[in-house]
Amino acid sequence: MSENRNIRDLHGTPYQIGCLSGSYFNGRVKIELDDIVSFMARFPQAVFSVVQQMKQLQQKYPYCYQETIGKADGLGIDRHVYMMLMHPEILQEGHESCTTIMVKNADGSVSLCHNEDDVFRKGNLSFVRVHTQDGWFITNDMYNMPFGNGICIHQSGLIRTINYCHDTAHTGISRYFAQRHIAQAGTIADLKRKAMETKPASGYHVNVIDCDHRHGQSLEVRNDGIHGKDLSLFLVHTNHFMYDISKDQYCTQPIGNSIFRYETVQQQMQMDHAWNMDRLKQILSIHTEDPATSIFQCHSDANRTLFQFSYDGVSQKAQIRVTEDGNTFAVPVSKQNDTDDDGNRRDGQ
């Protein structure tokens, strides 16, 4: 299957781009919003909070606001109901998701392998190239999240993955929109600047690679700032904050297995240093019948590994493997290698 069929190009105004995304999922995914509608009826203060967030979003990040109402319109969902869906901190929702390994190769390049875990809904996964005034970026797309809430490959050669981290709610912008805002960053410095200015209502983790400068960083974006590490040998991250805090302060979901996955992957990485891409994929594909002791999640539970993303710094090639159908396809990582199957530049040059 060609890249053209796996990655859809979205052009237009932010509203039009959001509407194209929503229209794609309209009719493809079984959308159940009764719980949210009931929540809004029972908690009018929550509705007031969302209205205030909408005003703040419209003022500070108007493109996010326009994309969101466009997506709601494309889905045929009431805008206020959809905006509530975009605020997990108000809904007090969260879940375990994602395991990531980043390594420094012998030639100085950086490789990354990432399991994207989320609630599985049939038909609720697509891959898009979003064209903005700041250039394009490729990301996974779902009906219930903004762009950039997973993997993101910017045309500049900046690659990043997001890991949900369990957190208490703070005053600030929804982490969904904070993660969308950094999607348009073309450098690590720009990413940090954009992350700092949002002050998210709950935090998240970012693994980021600057392919041109062969540099990688692991960053925890929290309401109080950014805490992180530079890549020197290898870095592993799952779904709990661990930088600049003691181990007994790790904040995890009571029934989650974030620490187990972190410690298991760490042990696997320390067994030997033959860290080629096959080995990284093998580690992130470790599976047991018990979700609590499994790295790769393909159980009957709602939360599953939706796809595996890999970037091999040695070959400078990126790849996605979708769990549901086993489809594997290449992903362009910069403008320079952005070609179709016939070798033609996608920008027409």
PDB file of all heavy atoms in Angstrom, residues 41-54:
ATOM      1  N   ALA A  41     -25.168  17.792  32.411  1.00  0.00           N
ATOM      2  CA  ALA A  41     -26.463  18.109  33.023  1.00  0.00           C
ATOM      3  C   ALA A  41     -26.367  18.105  34.543  1.00  0.00           C
ATOM      4  O   ALA A  41     -27.038  18.902  35.228  1.00  0.00           O
ATOM      5  CB  ALA A  41     -27.513  17.107  32.560  1.00  0.00           C
ATOM      6  N   ARG A  42     -25.521  17.240  35.087  1.00  0.00           N
ATOM      7  CA  ARG A  42     -25.409  17.114  36.543  1.00  0.00           C
ATOM      8  C   ARG A  42     -24.454  18.138  37.151  1.00  0.00           C
ATOM      9  O   ARG A  42     -24.562  18.464  38.337  1.00  0.00           O
ATOM     10  CB  ARG A  42     -24.944  15.698  36.906  1.00  0.00           C
ATOM     11  CG  ARG A  42     -26.027  14.644  36.702  1.00  0.00           C
ATOM     12  CD  ARG A  42     -25.564  13.263  37.103  1.00  0.00           C
ATOM     13  NE  ARG A  42     -24.573  12.705  36.196  1.00  0.00           N
ATOM     14  CZ  ARG A  42     -23.334  12.367  36.534  1.00  0.00           C
ATOM     15  NH1 ARG A  42     -22.918  12.543  37.788  1.00  0.00           N
ATOM     16  NH2 ARG A  42     -22.502  11.856  35.650  1.00  0.00           N
ATOM     17  N   PHE A  43     -23.510  18.622  36.340  1.00  0.00           N
ATOM     18  CA  PHE A  43     -22.493  19.519  36.889  1.00  0.00           C
ATOM     19  C   PHE A  43     -22.413  20.800  36.049  1.00  0.00           C
ATOM     20  O   PHE A  43     -21.541  20.949  35.189  1.00  0.00           O
ATOM     21  CB  PHE A  43     -21.131  18.820  36.924  1.00  0.00           C
ATOM     22  CG  PHE A  43     -21.099  17.590  37.780  1.00  0.00           C
ATOM     23  CD1 PHE A  43     -21.157  16.320  37.206  1.00  0.00           C
ATOM     24  CD2 PHE A  43     -21.033  17.695  39.165  1.00  0.00           C
ATOM     25  CE1 PHE A  43     -21.133  15.189  37.996  1.00  0.00           C
ATOM     26  CE2 PHE A  43     -21.013  16.564  39.969  1.00  0.00           C
ATOM     27  CZ  PHE A  43     -21.068  15.307  39.387  1.00  0.00           C
ATOM     28  N   PRO A  44     -23.321  21.736  36.294  1.00  0.00           N
ATOM     29  CA  PRO A  44     -23.320  22.988  35.524  1.00  0.00           C
ATOM     30  C   PRO A  44     -22.030  23.783  35.683  1.00  0.00           C
ATOM     31  O   PRO A  44     -21.647  24.533  34.787  1.00  0.00           O
ATOM     32  CB  PRO A  44     -24.528  23.747  36.078  1.00  0.00           C
ATOM     33  CG  PRO A  44     -24.848  23.097  37.389  1.00  0.00           C
ATOM     34  CD  PRO A  44     -24.444  21.681  37.250  1.00  0.00           C
ATOM     35  N   GLN A  45     -21.338  23.626  36.830  1.00  0.00           N
ATOM     36  CA  GLN A  45     -20.072  24.337  37.021  1.00  0.00           C
ATOM     37  C   GLN A  45     -19.021  23.853  36.023  1.00  0.00           C
ATOM     38  O   GLN A  45     -18.187  24.627  35.557  1.00  0.00           O
ATOM     39  CB  GLN A  45     -19.565  24.140  38.451  1.00  0.00           C
ATOM     40  CG  GLN A  45     -18.281  24.909  38.773  1.00  0.00           C
ATOM     41  CD  GLN A  45     -18.428  26.403  38.599  1.00  0.00           C
ATOM     42  OE1 GLN A  45     -19.462  26.975  38.955  1.00  0.00           O
ATOM     43  NE2 GLN A  45     -17.415  27.051  38.038  1.00  0.00           N
ATOM     44  N   ALA A  46     -19.096  22.567  35.685  1.00  0.00           N
ATOM     45  CA  ALA A  46     -18.171  22.023  34.698  1.00  0.00           C
ATOM     46  C   ALA A  46     -18.427  22.629  33.325  1.00  0.00           C
ATOM     47  O   ALA A  46     -17.493  22.922  32.568  1.00  0.00           O
ATOM     48  CB  ALA A  46     -18.299  20.496  34.629  1.00  0.00           C
ATOM     49  N   VAL A  47     -19.695  22.837  33.004  1.00  0.00           N
ATOM     50  CA  VAL A  47     -20.042  23.471  31.729  1.00  0.00           C
ATOM     51  C   VAL A  47     -19.528  24.904  31.711  1.00  0.00           C
ATOM     52  O   VAL A  47     -18.974  25.367  30.700  1.00  0.00           O
ATOM     53  CB  VAL A  47     -21.574  23.449  31.520  1.00  0.00           C
ATOM     54  CG1 VAL A  47     -21.932  24.160  30.220  1.00  0.00           C
ATOM     55  CG2 VAL A  47     -22.091  22.015  31.506  1.00  0.00           C
ATOM     56  N   PHE A  48     -19.676  25.603  32.830  1.00  0.00           N
ATOM     57  CA  PHE A  48     -19.157  26.971  32.919  1.00  0.00           C
ATOM     58  C   PHE A  48     -17.644  26.974  32.701  1.00  0.00           C
ATOM     59  O   PHE A  48     -17.113  27.842  31.996  1.00  0.00           O
ATOM     60  CB  PHE A  48     -19.494  27.561  34.294  1.00  0.00           C
ATOM     61  CG  PHE A  48     -18.907  28.933  34.519  1.00  0.00           C
ATOM     62  CD1 PHE A  48     -19.492  30.067  33.970  1.00  0.00           C
ATOM     63  CD2 PHE A  48     -17.743  29.078  35.277  1.00  0.00           C
ATOM     64  CE1 PHE A  48     -18.933  31.334  34.172  1.00  0.00           C
ATOM     65  CE2 PHE A  48     -17.176  30.330  35.484  1.00  0.00           C
ATOM     66  CZ  PHE A  48     -17.774  31.461  34.930  1.00  0.00           C
ATOM     67  N   SER A  49     -16.935  26.002  33.283  1.00  0.00           N
ATOM     68  CA  SER A  49     -15.482  25.906  33.120  1.00  0.00           C
ATOM     69  C   SER A  49     -15.102  25.698  31.665  1.00  0.00           C
ATOM     70  O   SER A  49     -14.148  26.291  31.162  1.00  0.00           O
ATOM     71  CB  SER A  49     -14.927  24.765  33.972  1.00  0.00           C
ATOM     72  OG  SER A  49     -15.132  25.016  35.352  1.00  0.00           O
ATOM     73  N   VAL A  50     -15.857  24.853  30.965  1.00  0.00           N
ATOM     74  CA  VAL A  50     -15.571  24.602  29.556  1.00  0.00           C
ATOM     75  C   VAL A  50     -15.811  25.853  28.717  1.00  0.00           C
ATOM     76  O   VAL A  50     -15.031  26.168  27.808  1.00  0.00           O
ATOM     77  CB  VAL A  50     -16.412  23.414  29.028  1.00  0.00           C
ATOM     78  CG1 VAL A  50     -16.462  23.420  27.503  1.00  0.00           C
ATOM     79  CG2 VAL A  50     -15.814  22.101  29.500  1.00  0.00           C
ATOM     80  N   VAL A  51     -16.885  26.574  29.008  1.00  0.00           N
ATOM     81  CA  VAL A  51     -17.166  27.818  28.281  1.00  0.00           C
ATOM     82  C   VAL A  51     -16.025  28.806  28.479  1.00  0.00           C
ATOM     83  O   VAL A  51     -15.586  29.481  27.536  1.00  0.00           O
ATOM     84  CB  VAL A  51     -18.507  28.432  28.736  1.00  0.00           C
ATOM     85  CG1 VAL A  51     -18.692  29.828  28.144  1.00  0.00           C
ATOM     86  CG2 VAL A  51     -19.663  27.529  28.321  1.00  0.00           C
ATOM     87  N   GLN A  52     -15.515  28.898  29.705  1.00  0.00           N
ATOM     88  CA  GLN A  52     -14.387  29.790  29.975  1.00  0.00           C
ATOM     89  C   GLN A  52     -13.136  29.333  29.232  1.00  0.00           C
ATOM     90  O   GLN A  52     -12.372  30.144  28.713  1.00  0.00           O
ATOM     91  CB  GLN A  52     -14.111  29.850  31.484  1.00  0.00           C
ATOM     92  CG  GLN A  52     -15.224  30.490  32.311  1.00  0.00           C
ATOM     93  CD  GLN A  52     -15.569  31.893  31.829  1.00  0.00           C
ATOM     94  OE1 GLN A  52     -16.637  32.144  31.283  1.00  0.00           O
ATOM     95  NE2 GLN A  52     -14.636  32.811  32.018  1.00  0.00           N
ATOM     96  N   GLN A  53     -12.936  28.018  29.173  1.00  0.00           N
ATOM     97  CA  GLN A  53     -11.794  27.472  28.439  1.00  0.00           C
ATOM     98  C   GLN A  53     -11.917  27.764  26.944  1.00  0.00           C
ATOM     99  O   GLN A  53     -10.922  28.056  26.275  1.00  0.00           O
ATOM    100  CB  GLN A  53     -11.691  25.960  28.671  1.00  0.00           C
ATOM    101  CG  GLN A  53     -11.202  25.563  30.052  1.00  0.00           C
ATOM    102  CD  GLN A  53      -9.744  25.862  30.264  1.00  0.00           C
ATOM    103  OE1 GLN A  53      -8.925  25.725  29.365  1.00  0.00           O
ATOM    104  NE2 GLN A  53      -9.401  26.300  31.468  1.00  0.00           N
ATOM    105  N   MET A  54     -13.123  27.695  26.427  1.00  0.00           N
ATOM    106  CA  MET A  54     -13.350  28.009  25.012  1.00  0.00           C
ATOM    107  C   MET A  54     -12.971  29.458  24.714  1.00  0.00           C
ATOM    108  O   MET A  54     -12.320  29.750  23.696  1.00  0.00           O
ATOM    109  CB  MET A  54     -14.808  27.757  24.634  1.00  0.00           C
ATOM    110  CG  MET A  54     -15.195  26.298  24.596  1.00  0.00           C
ATOM    111  SD  MET A  54     -16.974  26.024  24.291  1.00  0.00           S
ATOM    112  CE  MET A  54     -17.100  26.457  22.559  1.00  0.00           C
TER     113      MET A  54
END
